[in-house]
Amino acid sequence: VQLQAYGGGLVHSGGSLRLSCAVSGFSLDDYAIGWFRQTPGKEREGISCVSSISRHDGSTYYADSVKGRFTISRDNAKNTLYLQMDNLKPEDTAVYYCAARKFGRASANAAFYDIWGHGTLVTVSS
């Protein structure tokens, strides 16, 4: 059971990036997936998540800091969850992670998730 976030990079303020969370060894529909970000010296922040479809309703959550700018979507055929990030701001600069919990609800609490991938760095220049 693994998941890996990728797609980070350098973008100018106002630009867009799409992060991918590729999962292997499990069905995407059975897991809640959360997106988190972290900057040095700060706690990991839950920014967006989706509940498992097979056990719950696939509902989504967005933190106020990203609401209206970030969107979760999925491609089950590729077993991949995406985070579309638009209108990026310098304060969005962070290492982004995806995490999973089997049959979970949507939760922005990092302690809720028990499977984590390596992060991908997003840098937004002003």
Side-chain angles (χ1 to χ4, degrees), residues 11 13-15 37-39 45 47 65-66 69-70 85-96 121-124:
V11 63
S13 181
R37 64 187 182 188
Q38 190 169 25
T39 54
E45 176 192 10
I47 56 172
S65 58
V66 306
R69 300 188 297 123
F70 291 11
M85 306 187 297
D86 298 320
N87 190 21
L88 283 161
K89 305 175 182 180
E91 52 263 42
D92 294 319
T93 295
V95 177
Y96 285 69
L121 176 62
V122 172
T123 303
V124 184

Side-chain angles (χ1 to χ4, degrees), residues 13-92:
S13 181
S16 298
L17 279 175
R18 189 178 74 164
L19 302 184
S20 301
C21 178
V23 307
S24 59
F26 62 90
S27 171
L28 197 55
D29 285 351
D30 287 341
Y31 282 74
I33 304 292
W35 282 101
F36 295 81
R37 64 187 182 188
Q38 190 169 25
T39 54
K42 292 189 176 181
E43 291 189 358
R44 201 163 287 191
E45 176 192 10
I47 56 172
S48 184
C49 49
V50 57
S51 66
S52 69
I53 288 179
S54 61
R55 186 61 62 91
H56 300 287
D57 58 1
S59 57
T60 55
Y61 160 85
Y62 297 94
D64 288 343
S65 58
V66 306
K67 196 174 294 182
R69 300 188 297 123
F70 291 11
T71 306
I72 280 183
S73 64
R74 66 174 64 218
D75 185 337
N76 280 19
K78 296 182 178 180
N79 234 19
T80 300
L81 193 84
Y82 302 102
L83 183 68
Q84 177 67 39
M85 306 187 297
D86 298 320
N87 190 21
L88 283 161
K89 305 175 182 180
E91 52 263 42
D92 294 319

